[in-house]
Amino acid sequence: MADEDLPDSLEPATGVPPREEPPAPPTPKGDLRAVSIIAIVTGVIVIAWYLFIATARTVAEIDQLPWIQIGMWVLAVVSFVCGILSLNARMARELAAAGFIAGVAAGLLSISIGFFSELLT
């Protein structure tokens, strides 16, 4: 067989039908991006609240402070639990690590400032 009989490799293949696309792979196990994002968002809210408490002098004027504090404890628990669940992530490990750190930071701040401060008295 001579080289002249072979098709030119730079010419487009006009007679070849397109291949069917394979189905999308299923979501793999260990994809906990949503849990990590919840941990980060709730952790940031809790940390921002405690930074506000530490820097603002008008906290005593807030009428609903005990209810806000209880809400912050609930958010801290949600952030901490989601942060712990993020440890099981097999994908997006950086996001999972950030969720874990945010959850632990929110939990520690909630315990150290929320329980041991005189905000609820």
Side-chain angles (χ1 to χ4, degrees):
M1 180 177 236
D3 287 339
E4 293 83 30
D5 295 338
L6 295 175
D8 188 10
S9 62
L10 298 178
E11 286 184 20
T14 55
V16 178
R19 287 189 274 172
E20 292 183 20
E21 292 292 324
T27 303
K29 294 180 181 179
D31 188 11
L32 298 173
R33 286 180 278 194
V35 174
S36 300
I37 290 172
I38 291 170
I40 291 170
V41 169
T42 55
V44 166
I45 291 170
V46 170
I47 292 168
W49 170 251
Y50 287 120
L51 285 175
F52 171 72
I53 286 176
T55 58
R57 301 214 182 256
T58 61
V59 173
E61 298 175 9
I62 299 175
D63 294 333
Q64 304 295 326
L65 187 62
W67 291 108
I68 295 172
Q69 185 62 38
I70 291 170
M72 287 300 126
W73 286 335
V74 169
L75 283 178
V77 168
V78 168
S79 181
F80 185 74
V81 169
C82 288
I84 296 297
L85 289 176
S86 295
L87 289 177
N88 294 326
R90 294 180 187 155
M91 297 182 62
R93 291 184 183 251
E94 294 84 8
L95 185 64
F100 175 72
I101 292 169
V104 169
L108 290 176
L109 273 176
S110 180
I111 290 171
S112 64
I113 295 176
F115 285 131
F116 299 119
S117 67
E118 296 182 16
L119 292 174
L120 296 177
T121 59

